[in-house]
């Protein structure tokens, strides 16, 4: 067990193109808004199929994930094959549409079932910001349902993609009055910490993913169990939490037979960094707890985790 500083010696998720090409977002959104979901699918599904067939890295990553779900979770109908892999990619395509509809205000957020939102009532009342560690499970944009139920809530999403500025501009055009903002970060620098700390002091909620290795030359990760094998998880969210000195919650979104749900789970009142010699065990414990909860939601909604890049440690 050790904290690893990974160099760019393997295919990084940021170098793998996803189907959410910025030039096509406005067009796809226009199709969905004017003609509905089925016409949108007529355009999206061929794109998804082409993407899957021409991207062997993403295709193999999906198969690896489905294999872990099937073998570790004992879910036999998730065994990786052509049609099951295709259905995984199709679920990703549907997720794109849901994101656009959420941001445009055309998604029925009132129907989203929110679990564990009680602490946020007090946070908002006291103007206490917090850190939310999310995942690429389901539609995280559904957390906007919380702002619909909580007046005055402001949220900042931290993302690693270099297209964040362009995507943020599109979202602002779609939803100019949104209390959500997207900030692109490649590393946790002093300037980033200062800016985020100001937001937390003003009562904003900061969201960061706990299941993607950051875009930097010094990728600090820890290897923990996930769906039966070791996988690298970033330590950045926990470092950030210690620097912001605020409450930390986990956030997961699921979409199933009973509709959309957002789950908030208390994680730590605060995270304090221990002595250097104790940090390996410290980060391993935090990442393991997060991984266990992510594992739970992946097994609950198997096709809703969208990480199409090599995730598990090489053997």
């Amino acid at each position: 067990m050790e904290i690893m500083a990974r160099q760019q010696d393997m295919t990084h998720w940021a170098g793998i193109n996803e189907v959410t090409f910025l030039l096509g977002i406005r067009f796809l959104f226009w199709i969905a808004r004017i003609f509905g979901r089925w016409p949108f699918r007529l355009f999206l599904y061929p794109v998804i199929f082409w993407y899957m067939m021409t991207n062997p890295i993403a295709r193999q990553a999906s198969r690896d994930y489905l294999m872990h779900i099937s073998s570790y979770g004992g879910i036999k109908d998730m065994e990786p094959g052509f049609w099951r892999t295709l259905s995984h990619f199709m679920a990703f395509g549907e997720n794109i549409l849901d994101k656009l509809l959420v941001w445009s205000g055309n998604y029925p957020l009132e129907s989203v079932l929110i679990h564990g939102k009680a602490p946020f009532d007090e946070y908002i009342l006291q103007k206490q910001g917090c850190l939310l560690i999310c995942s690429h499970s389901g539609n995280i944009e559904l957390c906007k349902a919380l702002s619909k139920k909580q007046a005055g809530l402001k949220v900042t999403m931290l993302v690693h993609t270099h297209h964040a500025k362009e995507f943020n501009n599109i979202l602002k055009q779609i939803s100019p009055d949104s209390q959500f903002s997207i900030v692109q970060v490649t590393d946790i620098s002093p300037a980033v910490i200062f800016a985020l700390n100001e937001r937390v002091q003003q009562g904003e909620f900061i969201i960061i993913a706990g299941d993607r290795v950051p875009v930097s030359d010094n990728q600090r990760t820890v290897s923990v169990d996930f769906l039966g094998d070791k996988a690298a998880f970033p330590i950045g969210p926990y470092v950030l939490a210690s620097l912001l000195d605020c409450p930390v919650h986990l956030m997961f979104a699921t979409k199933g037979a009973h509709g959309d749900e957002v789950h908030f789970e208390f994680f730590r009142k605060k995270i304090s960094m221990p002595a250097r010699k104790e940090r390996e065990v410290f980060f391993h414990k935090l990442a393991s707890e997060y991984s266990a909860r992510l594992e739970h939601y992946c097994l609950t909604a198997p096709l809703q985790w969208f990480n199409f890049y090599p995730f598990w440690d090489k053997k």
Side-chain angles (χ1 to χ4, degrees):
M1 174 184 62
E2 61 179 353
I3 299 174
M4 299 169 286
R6 291 189 164 195
Q7 300 299 319
Q8 302 278 12
D9 59 352
M10 62 177 287
T11 302
H12 192 280
W13 64 264
I16 302 174
N17 288 327
E18 292 184 347
V19 75
T20 53
F21 300 119
L22 293 172
L23 292 177
I25 287 178
R26 288 188 179 90
F27 174 71
L28 291 174
F29 173 68
W30 180 80
I31 291 293
R33 190 169 188 177
I34 302 299
F35 299 105
R37 184 175 287 265
W38 274 107
F40 170 86
R41 287 170 175 161
L42 293 177
F43 284 91
L44 181 66
Y45 283 6
V47 175
I48 290 287
F49 180 78
W50 173 85
Y51 172 67
M52 187 186 81
M53 297 306 296
T54 60
N55 195 326
I57 294 174
R59 189 169 64 248
Q60 185 58 49
S62 173
R63 290 177 61 87
D64 288 345
Y65 167 69
L66 293 172
M67 179 192 68
H68 282 85
I69 285 288
S70 175
S71 59
Y72 179 78
I75 307 176
K76 296 303 180 182
D77 65 351
M78 285 294 130
E79 291 180 353
F82 176 82
W83 293 111
R84 184 54 66 194
T85 302
L86 180 60
S87 64
H88 189 198
F89 279 89
M90 291 304 184
F92 176 52
E94 293 285 339
N95 187 259
I96 293 173
L97 174 58
D98 288 344
K99 288 176 183 290
L100 294 174
L101 293 178
V102 168
W103 281 101
S104 67
N106 291 288
Y107 200 87
L109 291 176
E110 62 279 357
S111 66
V112 177
L113 185 59
I114 300 178
H115 304 272
K117 78 178 186 70
F120 302 119
D121 295 329
E122 190 66 21
Y123 293 159
I124 294 172
L125 183 64
Q126 297 183 1
K127 294 187 176 180
Q128 166 67 64
C130 75
L131 182 69
L132 298 171
I133 303 178
C134 71
S135 74
H136 289 80
S137 174
N139 183 4
I140 291 302
E141 275 76 1
L142 289 177
C143 64
K144 285 195 70 175
L146 181 63
S147 66
K148 194 175 184 68
K149 300 174 188 291
Q150 304 278 8
L153 173 62
K154 292 185 178 182
V155 177
T156 294
M157 288 186 178
L158 303 184
V159 298
H160 298 306
T161 173
H162 296 293
H163 298 303
K165 183 177 180 180
E166 293 88 345
F167 191 61
N168 202 22
N169 289 337
I170 292 174
L171 295 180
K172 285 182 178 179
Q173 293 175 22
I174 293 175
S175 181
D177 299 326
S178 175
Q179 295 298 302
F180 276 56
S181 61
I182 295 177
V183 176
Q184 186 266 328
V185 293
T186 55
D187 207 351
I188 302 177
S189 66
V192 169
I193 295 301
F194 179 79
L196 294 180
N197 188 61
E198 280 194 330
R199 297 189 182 214
V200 169
Q201 294 301 318
Q202 294 170 5
E204 287 195 33
F205 291 1
I206 308 297
I207 301 179
I208 186 171
D211 60 350
R212 277 197 177 173
V213 177
V215 181
S216 68
D217 293 330
N218 186 25
Q219 303 166 5
R220 294 177 62 80
T221 64
V222 61
S223 183
V224 301
D225 292 327
F226 178 59
L227 291 173
D229 277 322
K230 295 292 184 181
F233 283 79
I235 66 171
Y238 317 112
V239 174
L240 179 61
S242 69
L243 295 172
L244 295 180
D245 193 34
C246 64
V248 184
H249 292 252
L250 305 183
M251 179 175 66
F252 301 95
T254 60
K255 185 183 186 72
H258 301 293
D260 295 303
E261 299 184 24
V262 177
H263 304 260
F264 293 101
E265 299 184 0
F266 176 78
F267 192 64
R268 295 288 191 282
K269 185 175 182 179
K270 289 183 179 181
I271 291 180
S272 300
M273 195 71 72
R276 187 172 297 274
K277 64 180 181 180
E278 300 173 354
R279 290 181 186 176
E280 288 186 10
V281 174
F282 175 73
F283 286 126
H284 188 273
K285 175 177 173 57
L286 294 176
S288 294
E289 290 183 24
Y290 169 84
S291 171
R293 298 311 298 153
L294 175 60
E295 186 177 275
H296 166 77
Y297 288 104
C298 284
L299 293 173
T300 300
L303 295 179
Q304 291 292 305
W305 191 58
F306 307 119
N307 253 340
F308 296 110
Y309 76 100
F311 196 78
W312 281 268
D313 295 344
K314 293 181 178 180
K315 297 181 180 179

